[in-house]
Amino acid sequence: MDVSQVRQRVQAIADASDDPEDAHLREDKLLVDVLKAIATGAAGDHAAALAGAALEVTKVQFQRWYG
């Protein structure tokens, strides 16, 4: 996983923003995948950049539900 892949996935979430359920699922999967990459060392020296790119998803506007 690299920063460009994370950015593509964030864009895909933005593209799915008219379907909040789909956007939520994609957002959750992205964040888990980035955390796994960082936790396993797969992110290497790019952990901070991956995390920063993934956090851009919080700027995507869609209906979010919290329990």
Side-chain angles (χ1 to χ4, degrees):
M1 173 178 287
D2 62 33
V3 172
S4 67
Q5 291 170 317
V6 172
R7 288 184 180 137
Q8 288 172 351
R9 288 177 65 181
V10 170
Q11 183 58 53
I13 293 164
D15 294 344
S17 65
D18 61 332
D19 182 348
E21 185 175 359
D22 185 37
H24 263 285
L25 291 172
R26 290 172 184 251
E27 179 182 47
D28 289 347
K29 177 98 172 86
L30 170 64
L31 296 176
V32 167
D33 289 348
V34 168
L35 285 172
K36 282 181 182 178
I38 293 169
T40 62
D45 295 337
H46 305 290
L50 283 181
L55 286 172
E56 289 296 308
V57 77
T58 62
K59 296 178 183 176
V60 176
Q61 298 294 311
F62 64 88
Q63 183 69 36
R64 288 178 166 86
W65 299 281
Y66 299 96

